[in-house]
């Protein structure tokens, strides 16, 4: 769980006595979305949103939205709702991104009314579930730019209007078979919103429509497209020329059966970008390239290429980015003898091709190349002349090659080189081998695989980022460079670097980010922590420590005055695991804002651990099992982080956690998210498992903290309720007394069923309706049908308490008949009798029957909201007194049938 500083407006909008733990909801801020993105099911396209909420398991939209902060800007709902009501999100006018992963069947008009700032809207179902949209479904979304449908069949729709602001439209994994169907669903794609001008979209994504293969000629006549994506479809690129598109800049057809370069399509649209990754091209004809002169970006990765035609680059004079990764190219000779320079190419990816050698001047015709990727090949030796002509190259990746050496003076042709990756190579390092040549080098990734150890390594002093990887079991290298004045990021993978601890502050005066990965942590866990160089980096802001599962005891990170974010992972021994307290992992870190713990063996979390973390905003506990939240956190709650996330973790099924459930609902400052479905198993070897908090509530009644909480809550509730009880004495107290007496009367009469019922029908009515009861109801039921009626004015015992009379009479009657009108519903005694009657249906062991008679039409909003009453109304189990004489016979017949079903002839 984590915490982050809340917006002041959000804090002011929250009740001071109500915690804002939200059941089934995950809340975060956009700037911290990367911390919980793995658990955030809706992939919003921006992290600029200030507050985001995701609610899962949603079955009641109103109940789910009631707990969502009104200032939320990104909302994701996952559940089983099939219909959204009108004005469903009108309480969130600042909403900018909305993701719906529901089971919607249709959208009602006005659902999105009031969302004038909404920019992103996505629907996810599937696969290929039908969704029906009204023509004006998106009419009020005047700022909408991104609209996506995933797993939804839209074929049953037509005439749906798109907002003029729309720029990106995605329809993925649907039942779409013909591109022309889009014009029927969204006619704006063909006809402009008002003037008839062509519609413009930056992106139309039709990927994963596996049945999409047909095109109606002219179906998208006049549409101007930036990018069209057709991944995992059966579309033929040549068919796109018949769509009638006014323009198309980029085409992406990854994971298709395309077997040749779509030269005609490229020429027709003068495409600038073409993505053919994961296709079956295998071979490119030189004559096909003659039609592709407009391309600026060409991706041919994983296309089965074994060679390139001579003059490949010369045929593409405007090309700026070329991706040839993961093919089977036997040669990288892009620059042939006599070939002129290719001035446009800036990026070249030849990674994972199995290249074994590079002859001199391989890239001599690429004077403007900025990035060169050669990683993942079989390069063993590179001569210095290989990089001849690359005077503007800034990034070179040689990682994951069996490279043993670089030729003397290899860096001379690379005066502009800023980034170099030599990870996972076999280069033999020595004290004479250094990187002083490329003076502009800023980012270096280097490995110590073989060669003598214990020697000094000389590195460029102007580095801003350095990653050093050591092979396990080798001795430490010494750093010979006396000073790295601008180094900001340092990653030690394996910790193969030996530093003089007393000079660390001078060596790394500007270090802000440090990652220590994959070491046994012996140095970090030493008893004399003051000797470890980590504690002498006062400007450090980000620290990540990941162990290798061999550390015999936990490590305490402390003494870093400017540290803002700390991630600890895999810090305990797999062979001898032991429970850990948080105060054993972190100490005095006064400016720490984010603490992320992953598989550290944390077991106990108490208030002691937060004493040195006064600025902590987010606490994340990921993959920590059997957590115990100490009761001291309850008193420390005002100083707790504002965001706490327990993700892929579990609380221990112990009574020590019994106080957590009520605290989650009452914590005034901390938002706490605990993943649902945490279960307790009551008995060893048992198969029945129960939800965590209800189980603890029922099995830990003697928990002192729980008793104090319940006692204080009951006292507070009583004090608040006293004025209400005094004001409502005639209704609520009488109701409680009557319910108790009815239950007691029922118990007394169980043995003598025949003697218990003194009356056939108890009649509840108000004084204003007494005339109808005496003139219409009494003669018919007592006179014609011979039933014994209980009338309050006639049969109540004089001088007896009202509650006693009501309870005794109801319990002594087979049927309760309530005569209802607007006047009766305003009478306290009638409302008491109606409430008692509906309650007896649930509380009494042998409940009487309940019949309703309406003397006039009554709105359901005027009726008391009793569950049983609502069920009777939905079932139609009531009678309505007609005003017409000819319909009164039907009324008495219907009432007679109801009485007959209750056992009265």
């Amino acid at each position: 769980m984590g915490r982050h500083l809340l917006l002041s407006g959000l804090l002011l909008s929250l009740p001071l006595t109500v915690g804002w733990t939200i059941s089934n909801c995950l809340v975060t801020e956009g700037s911290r979305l990367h911390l919980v993105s793995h658990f955030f099911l809706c992939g919003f396209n921006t992290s600029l949103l200030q507050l985001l909420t995701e609610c899962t398991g949603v079955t009641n939209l109103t109940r789910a939205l009631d707990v969502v902060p009104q200032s939320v800007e990104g909302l994701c709902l996952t559940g089983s709702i099939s219909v959204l009501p009108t004005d469903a999100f009108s309480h969130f006018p600042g909403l900018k991104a909305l993701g719906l992963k529901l089971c919607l069947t249709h959208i009602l008009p006005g659902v999105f009314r009031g969302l004038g700032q909404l920019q992103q809207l996505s629907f996810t179902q599937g696969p290929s579930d039908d969704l029906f949209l009204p023509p004006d479904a998106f009419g009020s979304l005047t700022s909408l730019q991104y609209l996506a449908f995933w797993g939804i069949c839209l074929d049953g729709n037509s005439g749906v209007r798109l907002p003029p602001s729309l720029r990106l439209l995605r329809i993925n994994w649907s039942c779409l078979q013909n591109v022309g169907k889009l014009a029927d669903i969204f006619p704006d794609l063909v006809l402009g919103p008002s003037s008839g001008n062509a519609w413009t979209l930056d992106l139309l994504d039709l990927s994963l429509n596996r049945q999409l293969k047909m095109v109606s000629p002219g179906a998208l006549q006049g549409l101007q497209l930036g990018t069209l994506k057709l991944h995992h479809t059966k579309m033929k690129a040549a068919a796109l020329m018949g769509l009638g598109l006014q323009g198309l800049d980029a085409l992406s057809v990854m994971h298709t059966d395309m077997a040749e370069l779509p030269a005609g399509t490229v020429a027709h649209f003068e495409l600038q970008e073409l993505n053919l990754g994961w296709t079956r091209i295998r071979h490119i004809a030189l004559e096909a390239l003659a039609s592709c002169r407009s391309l600026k970006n060409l991706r041919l990765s994983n296309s089965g290429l074994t060679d390139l035609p001579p003059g490949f680059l010369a045929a593409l004079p405007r090309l700026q980015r070329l991706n040839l990764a993961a093919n089977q190219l036997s040669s990288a000779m892009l620059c042939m003898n006599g070939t002129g320079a290719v001035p446009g190419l800036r990026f070249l990816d030849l990674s994972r091709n199995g290249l074994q050698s590079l002859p001199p001047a391989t890239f001599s015709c690429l004077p403007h190349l900025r990035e060169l990727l050669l990683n993942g090949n079989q390069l063993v030796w590179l001569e210095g002349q290989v990089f001849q002509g690359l005077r503007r190259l800034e990034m070179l990746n040689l990682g994951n090659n069996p490279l043993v050496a670089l030729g003397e003076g290899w860096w001379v042709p690379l005066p502009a080189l800023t980034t170099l990756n030599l990870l996972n190579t076999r280069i033999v390092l020595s004290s004479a081998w250094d990187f002083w040549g490329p003076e502009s080098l800023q980012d270096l990734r280097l490995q110590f695989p073989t060669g003598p150890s214990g020697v000094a390594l000389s590195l460029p002093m102007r580095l801003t980022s350095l990653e050093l990887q050591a092979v396990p079991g080798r001795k430490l290298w010494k750093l010979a460079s006396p000073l790295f004045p601008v180094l900001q990021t340092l990653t030690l993978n394996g910790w193969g670097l030996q530093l003089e601890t007393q000079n660390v502050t001078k060596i790394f005066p500007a270090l802000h980010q440090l990652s220590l990965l994959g070491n046994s942590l012996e140095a970090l866990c030493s008893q004399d922590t003051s000797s470890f160089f980590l504690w002498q980096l006062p400007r450090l802001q980000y620290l990540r420590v990941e162990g290798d599962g061999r550390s015999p005891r936990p490590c305490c990170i402390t003494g870093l005055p400017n540290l803002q974010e700390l991630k600890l992972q895999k810090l305990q021994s797999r062979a001898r695991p032991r429970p850990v307290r948080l105060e054993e992992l972190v100490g005095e870190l006064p400016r720490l804002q984010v603490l992320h713990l992953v598989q550290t063996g944390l077991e106990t979390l108490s208030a002691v651990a937060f004493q040195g973390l006064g600025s902590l905003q987010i606490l994340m506990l990921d993959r920590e099992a059997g957590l115990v939240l100490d009761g001291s956190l309850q008193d420390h709650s005002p100083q707790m982080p504002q965001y706490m996330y327990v993700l892929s973790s579990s609380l221990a099924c112990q009574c020590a956690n019994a106080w957590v459930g009520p605290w989650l609902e009452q914590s005034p400052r901390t938002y706490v998210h605990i993943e649902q479905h945490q279960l307790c198993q009551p008995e060893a070897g048992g198969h029945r498992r129960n939800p965590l908090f209800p189980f603890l509530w029922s099995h830990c009644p003697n928990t002192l903290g729980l008793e104090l909480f319940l006692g204080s809550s009951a006292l507070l509730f009583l004090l608040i309720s006293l004025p209400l009880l005094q004001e409502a004495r005639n209704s609520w107290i009488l109701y409680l007394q009557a319910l108790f007496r009815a239950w007691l009367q029922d118990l007394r009469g169980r043995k003598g069923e025949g003697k218990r019922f003194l009356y056939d029908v108890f009649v509840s009515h108000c004084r204003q309706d007494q005339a109808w009861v005496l003139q219409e109801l009494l003669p018919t039921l007592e006179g014609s049908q011979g039933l014994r009626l209980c009338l309050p004015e006639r049969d109540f015992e004089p001088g007896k308490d009202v509650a006693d009379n009501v309870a005794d009479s109801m319990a002594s009657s087979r049927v309760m008949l309530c005569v209802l009108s607007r006047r009766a519903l305003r009478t306290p005694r009638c409302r008491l009798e109606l409430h008692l009657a509906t309650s007896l249906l649930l509380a009494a062991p042998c409940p009487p029957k309940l019949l309703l008679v309406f003397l006039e039409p009554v709105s359901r909003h005027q009726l008391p909201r009793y569950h049983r009453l609502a069920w009777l109304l939905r079932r139609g189990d009531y009678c309505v007194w007609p005003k017409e004489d000819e319909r009164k016979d039907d009324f008495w017949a219907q009432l007679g049938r109801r009485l007959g079903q209750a056992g009265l002839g």
Side-chain angles (χ1 to χ4, degrees):
M1 300 190 179
R3 140 196 179 174
H4 186 54
L5 187 60
L6 290 178
L7 303 174
S8 58
L10 176 61
L11 282 173
L12 293 175
S13 66
L14 294 174
L16 295 179
T17 58
V18 180
W20 61 288
T21 295
I22 303 176
S23 177
N24 297 329
C25 292
L26 176 63
V27 177
T28 188
E29 295 183 19
S31 60
R32 304 294 190 181
L33 180 59
H34 64 283
L35 297 173
V36 293
S37 58
H38 179 70
F39 304 93
F40 218 86
L41 301 180
C42 291
F44 293 139
N45 292 342
T46 178
S47 61
L48 301 178
L49 303 178
Q50 292 182 330
L51 193 67
L52 299 96
T53 301
E54 178 187 74
C55 297
T56 59
V58 176
T59 57
N60 186 303
L61 184 65
T62 302
R63 188 182 304 119
L65 296 182
D66 280 345
V67 296
V68 175
Q70 290 191 0
S71 59
V72 68
E73 293 186 351
L75 178 61
C76 178
L77 299 176
T78 302
S80 57
I81 297 176
S82 59
V83 179
L84 294 175
T86 303
D87 296 322
F89 307 98
S90 58
H91 295 298
F92 306 97
L95 203 60
K96 296 180 180 178
L98 176 61
L100 302 174
K101 305 187 73 172
L102 305 173
C103 300
L104 300 175
T105 56
H106 59 280
I107 302 294
L108 298 177
V111 166
F112 304 112
R113 192 159 47 207
L115 300 182
Q117 298 185 42
L118 193 68
Q119 300 174 9
Q120 302 179 34
L121 176 61
S122 62
F123 299 87
T124 303
Q125 293 177 207
S128 296
D129 288 344
D130 292 331
L131 176 63
F132 296 97
L133 305 169
D136 60 343
F138 312 116
S140 60
L141 304 180
T142 55
S143 300
L144 191 66
Q145 299 179 14
Y146 173 93
L147 178 61
F149 301 91
W150 178 273
I152 296 175
C153 183
L154 297 173
D155 282 5
N157 294 274
S158 63
V160 180
R161 305 305 304 267
L162 295 174
S165 57
L166 192 69
R167 289 295 175 266
L168 293 89
L169 177 62
R170 295 181 182 272
I171 303 176
N172 303 142
W173 206 278
S174 75
C175 59
L176 191 66
Q177 300 182 20
N178 189 332
V179 179
K181 184 63 178 177
L182 290 178
D184 297 331
I185 302 172
F186 304 111
D188 287 329
L189 294 178
V190 178
L191 303 176
S194 58
S195 62
N197 296 328
W199 195 280
T200 299
L201 285 179
D202 295 337
L203 170 66
L204 176 60
D205 188 351
L206 302 179
S207 301
L208 292 166
N209 291 293
R210 299 186 181 276
Q211 302 302 317
L212 181 60
K213 58 183 178 181
M214 294 184 290
V215 170
S216 299
L220 299 180
Q221 187 69 39
L223 177 62
Q224 177 72 44
L225 275 182
T227 300
L228 175 62
K229 288 187 177 181
L230 297 170
H231 303 171
H232 294 279
T233 66
K234 298 181 180 180
M235 282 289 299
K236 304 297 183 182
L240 302 178
M241 294 184 285
L243 278 174
L245 295 174
Q246 179 173 318
L248 180 63
D249 296 331
L251 175 63
S252 185
V253 287
M254 294 178 62
H255 296 276
T256 63
D257 294 334
M258 189 168 296
E260 60 182 11
L261 197 68
T265 304
V266 175
H268 177 80
F269 293 108
E270 295 185 354
L271 290 179
Q272 298 184 26
E273 181 177 342
L274 179 62
N275 186 350
L276 299 176
W278 297 94
T279 56
R280 301 179 180 180
I281 299 295
R282 291 192 174 87
H283 178 72
I284 297 178
L286 185 60
E287 48 274 18
L289 293 176
S291 302
C292 300
R293 299 177 62 84
S294 63
L295 288 177
K296 295 182 179 180
N297 188 344
L298 176 59
R299 179 172 182 176
L300 293 166
S301 58
N302 292 279
S303 297
L305 294 175
T306 56
D307 57 16
L308 296 175
F312 176 80
L313 290 180
L316 303 172
R318 301 181 62 187
L319 197 64
Q320 297 180 7
R321 298 180 63 87
L322 175 61
N323 189 333
L324 298 171
N327 285 291
Q328 293 89 42
L329 296 177
S330 58
S331 172
M333 283 302 297
L334 298 173
C335 300
M336 308 298 293
N337 293 333
T339 301
V342 181
L345 198 64
R346 303 289 193 275
F347 172 88
L348 176 60
D349 188 350
L350 288 170
S351 60
R352 295 172 292 152
N353 267 285
L355 298 175
Q356 298 183 1
S357 63
L358 294 176
T362 300
F363 310 105
S364 59
C365 64
L366 306 175
H368 298 281
L369 195 65
R370 300 288 194 276
E371 299 180 50
L372 176 60
L373 278 64
L374 295 171
N375 52 293
N377 285 290
Q378 297 298 317
L379 300 174
V380 178
W381 171 270
L382 290 179
E383 297 183 3
Q385 297 302 313
V386 168
F387 305 113
Q388 180 179 351
L390 299 180
R391 298 191 59 82
R392 298 188 181 181
L393 190 70
E394 298 175 355
M395 193 275 285
L396 175 62
N397 190 343
L398 296 173
N400 294 287
N401 278 290
L403 198 62
V404 296
L406 294 172
E408 183 177 355
W410 65 272
W411 63 82
V412 175
L414 306 173
L417 189 66
T418 61
T419 302
L420 175 64
N421 184 356
L422 290 173
L423 292 177
N424 296 311
T425 61
R426 301 176 184 175
I427 292 179
V428 179
L429 304 181
S430 66
S431 58
W433 195 88
D434 57 51
F435 290 94
W436 286 100
E439 296 180 357
S440 59
L441 195 63
Q442 298 177 6
D443 186 350
L444 175 62
R445 302 178 184 181
L446 188 64
Q447 181 176 345
F448 311 118
T450 58
S453 59
V455 299
L457 177 66
S458 178
L459 299 175
M461 295 174 55
R462 305 302 299 177
L463 290 175
T464 60
S465 179
L466 174 62
E467 180 175 348
L468 298 175
Q469 188 177 79
V471 174
R474 299 194 60 82
K475 297 181 180 179
L476 299 179
W477 286 74
K478 296 180 180 179
L479 194 60
S481 302
L483 180 65
F484 292 88
V486 294
L487 188 69
Q488 298 180 7
T489 302
L490 175 62
T491 300
L492 302 180
N493 195 336
W495 302 22
L497 186 65
Q498 180 177 343
L499 301 173
E500 298 295 334
T501 58
Q502 63 272 17
N503 297 325
V504 167
T505 304
K506 296 180 180 179
I507 296 176
F508 302 113
L511 192 64
H512 288 138
Q513 182 170 327
L514 175 62
S515 298
L516 305 173
L517 311 177
N519 193 274
S520 64
L521 309 184
E522 293 179 0
L524 187 61
C525 299
S526 64
Q527 295 290 341
D528 185 12
T529 56
S530 61
S531 66
F532 185 60
F533 75 92
L534 178 63
W535 318 135
Q536 301 178 39
L537 297 172
R539 300 184 64 181
L540 195 66
Q541 296 181 6
Y542 172 87
L543 174 62
R544 177 187 173 192
V545 180
E546 181 177 339
D548 60 356
R550 300 178 183 177
S551 180
R553 57 190 179 84
C555 304
C556 184
I557 309 297
T558 186
L560 296 171
N562 288 301
L563 192 67
Q564 297 181 13
E565 186 168 342
L566 173 62
K567 182 175 182 179
L568 303 177
Q569 185 172 1
K570 299 179 182 178
L571 297 188
Q572 69 169 194
S573 172
R574 291 189 295 265
R576 292 181 296 171
R578 50 154 288 190
V580 177
R581 300 185 307 274
L582 183 58
E583 52 268 30
E584 296 181 82
L585 300 176
V586 293
E588 189 72 21
L589 301 172
R591 295 190 179 181
L592 189 68
Q593 298 180 11
V594 179
L595 177 57
H596 189 180
L597 305 180
V598 185
Q599 291 180 299
T600 62
L602 180 68
E603 183 180 70
T604 304
L605 186 65
S606 65
V608 177
F610 295 101
Q611 293 179 356
L613 306 176
S615 301
L616 191 62
Q617 299 173 4
I618 297 179
L619 174 61
M620 293 188 63
L621 305 177
D622 191 358
R623 285 173 280 176
E624 304 284 1
L627 290 168
V628 174
L629 304 185
D630 190 84
S632 60
L633 295 176
Q634 200 166 4
D635 297 330
H636 192 71
S637 183
Q639 291 78 41
M640 289 286 288
Q642 283 176 317
Y643 288 91
M644 296 183 62
Y645 303 98
V646 176
L647 302 170
S648 299
S649 301
S650 62
L651 298 185
C653 188
Q654 300 177 13
C655 289
N657 282 326
W659 68 275
V660 176
W663 175 73
L664 292 179
E665 301 176 357
Q666 299 295 328
S667 55
R669 181 175 182 267
T670 302
Y671 163 72
V672 184
H673 177 81
I674 298 180
E675 287 189 330
Q676 300 297 313
H677 313 302
Q678 296 199 49
L679 303 177
C680 280
Q681 188 165 317
E683 297 179 1
H687 299 287
R688 184 178 179 183
R689 299 175 68 85
N690 303 287
L692 176 65
F693 292 125
F695 177 83
L696 295 179
W697 184 279
S698 59
H699 285 71
C700 305
N702 296 321
T703 303
L704 179 59
L706 182 60
E707 291 179 348
L708 292 176
F709 172 80
L710 292 177
S712 60
S713 299
L715 179 60
L716 179 62
F717 177 77
L718 179 60
L719 293 176
I720 295 175
S721 303
L722 282 178
L724 300 177
L725 292 174
Q726 181 66 24
E727 181 179 352
R729 179 180 180 275
N730 292 333
S731 57
W732 285 102
I733 294 180
L734 289 179
Y735 159 69
L736 294 174
Q737 291 178 351
L739 183 59
F740 174 75
R741 290 182 178 276
W743 175 78
L744 186 60
Q745 178 72 15
D746 185 85
L747 289 181
R748 292 173 179 174
R750 287 183 182 179
K751 296 181 180 180
E753 184 71 17
K755 297 180 181 179
R756 182 165 67 95
F757 296 117
L758 303 179
Y759 304 100
D760 293 314
V761 181
F762 173 84
V763 181
S764 170
H765 64 280
C766 66
R767 292 185 181 274
Q768 292 85 344
D769 298 330
Q770 186 174 1
W772 182 86
V773 173
L774 296 178
Q775 297 173 12
E776 299 286 349
L777 185 67
L778 187 64
T780 302
L781 297 187
E782 282 197 346
S784 302
Q785 300 189 22
L787 300 178
R788 172 65 170 162
L789 272 60
C790 177
L791 303 179
E793 292 79 3
R794 185 187 68 179
D795 299 311
F796 273 13
E797 184 177 341
K800 191 175 182 179
D801 185 77
V802 175
D804 295 342
N805 268 317
V806 172
D808 294 343
S809 299
M810 283 189 173
S812 300
S813 302
R814 294 180 182 275
V815 175
M816 294 179 293
L817 191 150
C818 294
V819 179
L820 300 180
S821 64
R822 285 188 287 270
R823 296 183 298 271
L825 293 174
R826 291 193 293 266
T827 304
R829 196 192 73 185
C830 288
R831 293 177 67 90
L832 169 65
E833 293 172 352
L834 182 61
H835 196 171
L836 179 58
T838 55
S839 299
L840 285 176
L841 294 177
L842 300 176
C846 299
K849 303 294 183 181
L850 174 63
L851 299 180
L852 304 178
V853 172
F854 288 91
L855 298 184
E856 59 183 344
V858 176
S859 172
R860 293 195 179 190
H861 299 291
Q862 297 178 283
L863 294 173
R865 296 181 179 180
Y866 308 142
H867 172 74
R868 183 69 176 185
L869 180 60
W871 180 75
L872 291 173
L873 294 176
R874 286 196 302 267
R875 200 179 66 173
D877 196 2
Y878 58 88
C879 302
V880 180
W881 176 252
K883 298 300 182 183
E884 302 84 0
D885 293 338
E886 59 272 13
R887 297 177 54 194
K888 292 182 180 179
D889 291 339
D890 296 335
F891 169 82
W892 294 118
Q894 181 183 8
L895 183 60
R897 287 194 298 272
R898 295 285 191 272
L899 293 172
Q901 294 171 358
L904 300 177

